[in-house]
Amino acid sequence: MAKGHRSQIKRERNAQKDTRPSAKLSYARVSVQKACFVLDAIRGKDVTTALAILEYNPRYASSIIKKLLESAIANAENNNGMNVENLYIAECYADKGPTMKRVKPRAQGRAYRIEKRMSHITVVLDER
């Protein structure tokens, strides 16, 4: 356990926090593997280029990530006062979320397990 008063511990933890604008989406109904295909395409790109890539990408995850990126851009503008033209995607990653277990009936009284996977997606922006 950390030593010191609770407010002091909280102050130290907040000092270590990342101040870059970001957006998180928890429990997205897309697997990590499928989300990472789209995230790899936009990592390190300018925001306008990334939005164009997501607009014309046929994958389902691209529509989810596009909304998330627009949210991160709004956070950068309103909370940090950053200029949109200078923003780029510093980090973007998908973490594994919980899995919904379902059962599908099969022939001769058997049952197959269906796993509906979820992910937690994070997009972090930075200024050039």
Side-chain angles (χ1 to χ4, degrees):
M1 293 292 285
K3 294 179 181 172
H5 196 263
R6 229 181 254 172
S7 61
Q8 181 185 358
I9 295 167
K10 217 177 222 185
R11 238 180 281 121
E12 289 172 6
R13 192 183 318 127
N14 287 340
Q16 294 171 354
K17 275 190 179 173
D18 195 6
T19 57
R20 297 181 296 182
S22 66
K24 290 182 181 180
L25 174 62
S26 297
Y27 307 103
R29 270 291 290 121
V30 62
S31 70
V32 174
Q33 188 177 7
K34 292 176 182 177
C36 281
F37 278 122
V38 179
L39 291 172
D40 289 341
I42 64 169
R43 188 175 290 114
K45 302 259 190 327
D46 291 339
V47 168
T48 51
T49 309
L51 283 172
I53 290 170
L54 293 172
E55 179 71 33
Y56 295 106
N57 194 329
R59 291 183 178 270
Y60 168 72
S62 64
S63 62
I64 295 172
I65 294 170
K66 183 177 181 238
K67 286 182 186 179
L68 188 64
L69 180 58
E70 288 169 348
S71 175
I73 293 167
N75 289 342
E77 276 184 300
N78 297 323
N79 300 345
N80 297 34
M82 295 180 166
N83 192 3
V84 180
E85 285 81 35
N86 300 335
L87 291 175
Y88 75 100
I89 298 172
E91 293 178 30
C92 58
Y93 52 89
D95 296 323
K96 185 179 174 192
T99 303
M100 294 191 293
K101 280 99 176 172
R102 300 293 182 260
V103 176
K104 187 163 189 169
R106 305 308 282 169
Q108 297 180 353
R110 293 183 176 91
Y112 285 177
R113 192 172 182 184
I114 304 294
E115 293 184 344
K116 300 185 174 191
R117 301 181 188 277
M118 291 186 222
S119 58
H120 306 306
I121 304 170
T122 306
V123 174
V124 180
L125 303 178
D126 206 356
E127 220 168 11
R128 287 196 201 260

